[in-house]
Amino acid sequence: MGAYLRNDETVRLVVQSESYGPLRYESYPYYVNDDTASFTGSHVQYADFDRKGLSKFLNHGRPASNIITGFGQVADTYYNLAGKLVGPRTVDGLTTTGAHFSNTDAAGNWSVAELPTEADWLMQSLCSAHLEEAHQWGEGLGFEDDIYITNEEWITCK
């Protein structure tokens, strides 16, 4: 989890949620790469809060819905380990272009015990994820933009 000032009026909270898709239960799907591919499983999402409202939240007696100004998935562009955009899964065989390699072998063969029924791919555990802010060590030092870094821990059980 991480939070940062998105702008002078907005605090953005970034959080990841764990789900193992068809290995346990499938979460609702989310779409990436101009809606050409979809994922179930773990999510990284954000909620935007009105900064002034958030500063008074614990004392105002109203629901948090009054200060939420937006929410959604953090990323909408996904690349695979080959540096290619993740694309749709080929249902009846190899996914030779755009495979999400934690779900397939290098040739594109499905390698996880269960196929997702709600999406193309399964995003597994995102342990050790964290937010790095732009220039966190001073002007020109660190990342140029805010970045949420995560690795996907996966198992292949087929």
Side-chain angles (χ1 to χ4, degrees):
M1 180 181 335
Y4 63 95
L5 286 177
R6 184 166 180 253
N7 55 45
D8 288 343
E9 293 83 35
T10 307
V11 174
R12 176 163 280 181
L13 175 69
V14 177
V15 63
Q16 61 110 12
S17 57
E18 296 286 318
S19 169
Y20 293 89
L23 301 178
R24 303 286 190 274
Y25 62 90
E26 287 192 57
S27 62
Y28 65 91
Y30 58 96
Y31 298 86
V32 300
N33 302 341
D34 295 323
D35 295 339
T36 60
S38 58
F39 282 85
T40 185
S42 297
H43 290 247
V44 181
Q45 59 266 328
Y46 70 88
D48 287 339
F49 295 89
D50 174 77
R51 185 178 182 187
K52 188 174 185 179
L54 187 60
S55 73
K56 299 174 184 179
F57 175 67
L58 292 178
N59 298 315
H60 76 45
R62 293 189 313 266
S65 59
N66 293 332
I67 61 171
I68 296 173
T69 60
F71 59 90
Q73 289 293 131
V74 168
D76 58 10
T77 304
Y78 281 36
Y79 294 89
N80 64 19
L81 295 174
K84 306 292 184 193
L85 289 170
V86 173
R89 173 173 45 93
T90 302
V91 177
D92 298 357
L94 298 175
T95 301
T96 57
T97 304
H100 179 55
F101 289 129
S102 75
N103 294 181
T104 70
D105 63 18
N109 294 297
W110 189 259
S111 61
V112 181
E114 301 286 332
L115 288 169
T117 61
E118 302 294 324
D120 294 308
W121 305 106
L122 164 61
M123 182 62 68
Q124 296 188 55
S125 181
L126 301 173
C127 299
S128 304
H130 64 283
L131 177 70
E132 295 289 342
E133 293 186 72
H135 304 172
Q136 67 183 15
W137 296 289
E139 188 60 37
L141 299 174
F143 288 104
E144 188 60 31
D145 296 303
D146 295 332
I147 185 171
Y148 193 81
I149 298 174
T150 186
N151 61 314
E152 183 185 17
E153 298 176 3
W154 64 79
I155 55 174
T156 52
C157 309
K158 193 171 181 182

